């Protein structure tokens, strides 16, 4: 039986001051926010809340070591609500601190003990990519296992997801590009997932349409066009989060995780590297149904032919965020077999959502193609 749900209460507020007035963090609350976000938007406005900047516990995207470092720093401190104001990685980390128990975090992700919600959770995105504010998924690099993994559990849903377009202002180009492309890939993978429903595909299409239209506008108008649409991009990211939260992501994400973990490539950029090659592999095996419908829809949005839909889309995405061959990220040819093994043994949750089955040979073939030519 296929189902569809939107769990968090979604709040849309015009500015940061309205958010602070509505939710008013106190000394009994735990707030996750980067130093940059604090300086730009929250300086002197968080009262006596306990504030965590996960960047103080390590660089790059979050790992099990970072999470354990925060647990140790809190030293058993009690708190009521958990807030996260930041990009998807900050939201993903904060979700864990709403649980009754989160350490040892590797055991949590391997489901050696259950995830139980213990604190109200309020998530406020400052990028337009992950959709983490409306999903029950937390992605973490597990250093002991050498890959990223996702923990999906109802206990990880936010109680409130708060959308504040003002928070997107001033995003660096590469951060914006990586996050918005991530949202686009969420919309595409959820559309072709076998778990999709008419409801989830509606959200997939709405996100896809808004993001591609926004990218076309940016190609012509640059930063001004982007900032004029920041609310639209934020809403599209949430739409895509709702879609993939119900239908799931698939091989694009699965193949990107070893690259992100080993070479510290930003998540959205790693997805962009894998995107076209995965869909070419699907098409080579079977071109019909949702895949054909998707391709035709992209062709219509771009005003091109069905055959040129994905090549034209990738040309557009390269204008937003240029990418490189795998070798350009420091990947060695000998790594490709290891990456394939990780995908096939650790990413079953995602690979189950593929449009068609991809074997280990298929995955290795994708990596080998991307190693040389990108």
């Amino acid at each position: 039986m296929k189902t569809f749900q939107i769990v968090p209460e979604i709040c849309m507020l015009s500015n940061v001051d309205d958010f602070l007035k509505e939710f008013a963090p106190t000394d009994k609350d735990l707030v996750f926010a980067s130093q940059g976000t604090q300086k730009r938007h929250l300086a002197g406005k968080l009262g006596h809340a306990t504030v965590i900047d996960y960047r103080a516990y390590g660089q790059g995207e979050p790992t099990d070591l970072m999470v354990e470092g925060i647990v140790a720093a809190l030293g058993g401190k009690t708190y009521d609500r958990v807030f996260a104001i930041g990009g998807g990685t900050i939201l993903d980390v904060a979700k864990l601190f709403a649980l009754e128990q989160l350490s040892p975090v590797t055991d949590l992700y391997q489901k050696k003990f259950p995830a139980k919600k213990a604190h109200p959770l309020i998530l406020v995105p400052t990028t337009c990519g992950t959709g983490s504010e409306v999903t029950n998924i937390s992605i973490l690099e597990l250093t002991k296992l050498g890959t990223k993994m996702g923990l999906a559990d109802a206990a990880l849903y936010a109680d409130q997801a708060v959308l504040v377009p003002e928070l997107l202002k001033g995003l660096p180009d590469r951060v914006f590009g990586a996050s918005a492309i991530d949202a686009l890939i969420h919309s595409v993978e959820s559309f072709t997932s076998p778990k999709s429903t008419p409801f989830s595909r509606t959200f997939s299409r709405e996100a896809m349409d808004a993001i591609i239209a926004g990218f076309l506008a940016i190609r012509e108008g640059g930063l001004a066009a982007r900032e004029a649409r920041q609310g639209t991009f934020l809403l599209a990211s949430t739409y895509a989060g709702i879609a993939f939260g119900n239908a799931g992501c698939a091989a694009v994400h699965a193949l990107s995780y070893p690259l992100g973990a080993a070479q510290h490539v930003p998540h959205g950029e790693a997805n962009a590297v894998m995107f076209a090659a995965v869909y070419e592999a699907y098409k080579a095996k079977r071109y019909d149904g949702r895949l054909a419908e998707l391709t035709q829809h992209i062709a219509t949005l771009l005003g091109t032919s069905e055959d040129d839909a994905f090549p034209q889309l990738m040309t557009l995405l390269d204008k937003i965020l240029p990418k490189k061959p795998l070798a350009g990220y420091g990947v060695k040819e000998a790594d490709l077999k290891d990456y394939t093994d990780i995908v096939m043994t650790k990413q079953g949750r995602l690979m189950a959502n593929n449009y068609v089955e991809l074997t280990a040979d298929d995955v290795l073939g994708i990596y080998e193609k991307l190693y040389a030519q990108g």
Side-chain angles (χ1 to χ4, degrees), residues 230-293:
Q230 59 192 19
T232 300
F233 276 111
L234 183 58
L235 192 59
S237 173
T238 301
Y239 285 164
I242 291 168
F244 92 82
N246 281 276
C249 288
V252 175
H253 276 70
L255 270 69
S256 79
Y257 284 159
L259 174 63
Q263 303 299 332
H264 307 293
V265 179
H267 174 64
E269 185 172 352
N271 282 336
V273 171
M274 306 298 165
F275 185 26
V278 167
Y279 274 80
E280 287 169 5
Y282 289 162
K283 185 177 181 180
K285 283 176 168 277
R286 198 182 86 222
Y287 185 63
D288 58 8
R290 300 286 175 225
L291 181 56
E293 185 180 346

Side-chain angles (χ1 to χ4, degrees), residues 133-202:
E133 67 276 5
V134 289
T135 72
N136 67 334
I137 303 166
S138 176
I139 308 297
L140 204 64
E141 180 186 341
L142 302 179
T143 58
K144 292 181 181 178
L145 302 181
T147 189
K148 291 184 178 180
M149 285 185 67
L151 174 66
D153 195 284
L156 298 179
Y157 276 119
D159 295 278
Q160 283 93 25
V162 187
L163 306 184
V164 185
E166 182 185 20
L167 290 169
L168 268 61
K169 189 173 183 179
L171 276 181
D173 287 345
R174 291 194 69 82
V175 174
F176 166 79
S179 63
I181 288 172
D182 190 23
L184 176 64
I185 293 171
H186 289 158
S187 71
V188 170
E189 289 208 285
S190 60
F191 187 86
T192 55
S193 167
K195 296 178 183 175
S196 72
T197 67
F199 299 103
S200 69
R201 289 193 296 275
T202 296

Side-chain angles (χ1 to χ4, degrees), residues 11-33:
C11 312
M12 298 192 68
L13 297 171
S14 59
N15 55 57
V16 175
D17 286 343
D18 285 350
F19 162 69
L20 293 168
K21 181 179 179 181
E22 186 71 26
F23 288 90
T26 73
D27 59 356
K28 296 181 180 179
D29 295 325
L30 179 64
V31 179
F32 287 80

Side-chain angles (χ1 to χ4, degrees), residues 3 27 31-32 40 79 92 110 114 119-120 123 139 151 155 174 219 229 246 260 281 307 332 340 354 366 374:
T3 62
D27 59 356
V31 179
F32 287 80
R40 285 191 300 274
Y79 47 86
D92 279 7
Q110 293 182 304
H119 305 280
L123 300 181
I139 308 297
L151 174 66
R174 291 194 69 82
R219 186 179 65 183
R229 289 164 174 78
N246 281 276
D307 285 343
K332 306 299 182 187
T340 299
N354 291 345
I366 292 170

Side-chain angles (χ1 to χ4, degrees), residues 33-35 51-59 66 69-70 73:
S34 71
Q35 286 290 336
V51 182
I52 296 291
D53 175 11
Y54 92 92
R55 295 287 183 193
Y57 299 88
Q59 297 302 309
M66 291 182 187
I70 297 169

